Amino acid sequence: MNQGVSHMKAAMLGTWHVHTEGYAKEFSADPRCRLTAVWDPDAAKAERFAEQFGCQAYTDLDTLFAEADFEAVIVCSATTEHVELMVRAANAGKHIFTEKVLATTAQGAMQIRDAVRRNGVRFAISYPHKTNPGLIFARRMIEEGKLGTVTYARVRNAHNGSLAGWLPAHFYSREQCGGGAMMDLGAHPMYTLLWLLGEPQTVSSAFTSVTDKPVEDNAVCILTYANGAIGVSETAFVSNFNNYVVELSGTEGAVRIADGETMFTDRAAEGKWQHVQLPAAPKPPIAQWIDEVHGGPAAAEFGIDEAVQLSRLMEAAYRAAEKGVCAAY
């Protein structure tokens, strides 16, 4: 049993990600928590963050680990820096909360997993769609057999970041991101499909660039499963409309999430869509991680094994896109 800590101090590792400020605010809003340090190789960014959140800025990682007072890290660095940063943090005994994806390769993800397990630190990854009441309802319908055998699942998550120009330029850097839209926004449909259908057998990919970026800004992956089911993961940085849709079809029923509504139908409803009573939304991932570090239950849906699963799937998806073949998962 984790006895937890009385007051949780954390260092922000990197200010690269668009969700950095949001995580910092969520963490700092908990009276049990305090941000004490920030590391970023860009001194101006580190100083700006430190001034906003009242913590100490560092540009040298060795100095941070030698001097700063913290027992946990929030990782918002470039994705391709994750392995180095999280292995170091785990080896130093620091609890870890990280932005997705864990790593761009399965090998890198397993390096982090091994360090987390070896050092017994509390780990959570940001999979916020797992707290979506509509998706929780959909998963419950699968678990209770209300859909029969699931034969098809489609998850679309997209936005207009490239069209409207609000996405940071570094999000189009393969060297920093490891990919484009699928590696970033597409992570949500990918871990959702893993959550709903489990691990696939094969992955096929169609990646394009609508706005002539060096990485894909429009992408679809097709997953196949041992029971014959098909999963479709859709994402884009070039979509103004129809940006979040979930469709689940089974031999006995179906679920549809669109336009903020969750609908269900089955044989008893004669195929007519019915409004449903949704469960309450759980706490967000970072809040569940904070509770775990303080001795609460494990943030089970956001653990290291789930994080490795996504990295493995992403690696297969990009392998399929590069080779133009269906890749084994």
Side-chain angles (χ1 to χ4, degrees):
M1 175 69 71
N2 177 27
Q3 295 182 351
V5 297
S6 59
H7 198 83
M8 186 176 177
K9 301 170 188 170
M12 181 68 71
L13 297 188
T15 64
W16 178 92
H17 205 277
V18 293
H19 293 313
T20 301
E21 184 176 336
Y23 292 139
K25 288 180 177 178
E26 281 187 82
F27 183 82
S28 300
D30 191 309
R32 301 170 295 175
C33 302
R34 183 162 65 90
L35 277 170
T36 57
V38 57
W39 166 84
D40 195 290
D42 186 316
K45 290 181 179 178
E47 290 292 347
R48 190 158 53 245
F49 181 94
E51 182 177 353
Q52 181 178 358
F53 290 97
C55 60
Q56 183 67 40
Y58 295 86
T59 56
D60 181 76
L61 207 57
D62 291 334
T63 305
L64 170 81
F65 277 93
E67 296 180 359
D69 180 19
F70 62 102
E71 56 263 338
V73 296
I74 301 170
V75 182
C76 285
S77 69
T79 307
T80 50
E81 296 175 342
H82 279 189
V83 176
E84 176 188 358
L85 292 176
M86 281 187 260
V87 168
R88 178 160 189 174
N91 286 339
K94 311 299 184 183
H95 304 299
I96 298 169
F97 179 83
T98 182
E99 175 57 36
K100 48 73 187 159
V101 299
L102 182 65
T104 58
T105 67
Q107 181 181 16
M110 289 186 287
Q111 285 181 255
I112 298 170
R113 182 189 64 189
D114 292 347
V116 165
R117 289 179 174 173
R118 185 172 60 248
N119 294 284
V121 300
R122 308 300 171 182
F123 171 94
I125 192 166
S126 184
Y127 289 172
H129 288 205
K130 286 189 174 186
T131 65
N132 178 329
L135 286 179
I136 293 171
F137 170 83
R139 190 164 189 259
R140 186 175 298 168
M141 292 300 96
I142 294 173
E143 292 172 342
E144 294 178 359
K146 299 292 180 61
L147 303 186
T149 299
V150 177
T151 57
Y152 180 80
R154 170 183 172 238
V155 184
R156 174 175 177 79
N157 192 39
H159 61 50
N160 68 350
S162 291
L163 290 180
W166 57 262
L167 200 62
H170 57 248
F171 268 57
Y172 306 113
S173 166
R174 184 176 292 276
E175 291 71 28
Q176 295 181 61
C177 301
M182 186 56 73
M183 186 66 75
D184 175 55
L185 192 62
H188 297 296
M190 289 295 229
Y191 70 68
T192 297
L193 288 171
L194 283 167
W195 195 42
L196 296 176
L197 300 186
E199 297 182 321
Q201 288 188 317
T202 66
V203 185
S204 304
S205 300
F207 293 176
T208 66
S209 180
V210 175
T211 58
D212 296 323
K213 296 294 188 294
V215 292
E216 81 283 356
D217 57 18
N218 198 29
V220 175
C221 289
I222 300 175
L223 287 55
T224 66
Y225 296 82
N227 70 343
I230 293 173
V232 180
S233 169
E234 301 179 11
T235 194
F237 293 157
V238 291
S239 179
N240 283 314
F241 312 103
N242 197 37
N243 285 342
Y244 188 74
V245 180
V246 178
E247 298 172 344
L248 269 174
S249 298
T251 56
E252 301 298 324
V255 176
R256 183 173 65 192
I257 304 172
D259 301 322
E261 288 190 311
T262 301
M263 308 288 283
F264 172 77
T265 192
D266 60 6
R267 291 183 185 275
E270 299 179 339
K272 296 177 182 177
W273 291 106
Q274 311 288 320
H275 290 276
V276 301
Q277 183 73 35
L278 293 179
K283 290 182 178 181
I286 195 168
Q288 293 191 38
W289 173 66
I290 292 168
D291 286 345
E292 181 180 354
V293 174
H294 282 88
E301 299 291 356
F302 317 105
I304 190 64
D305 290 331
E306 289 76 15
V308 172
Q309 275 187 332
L310 177 60
S311 288
R312 185 180 173 194
L313 183 54
M314 284 297 191
E315 184 176 33
Y318 278 86
R319 186 167 64 246
E322 289 165 5
K323 296 185 177 180
V325 298
C326 182
Y329 173 70

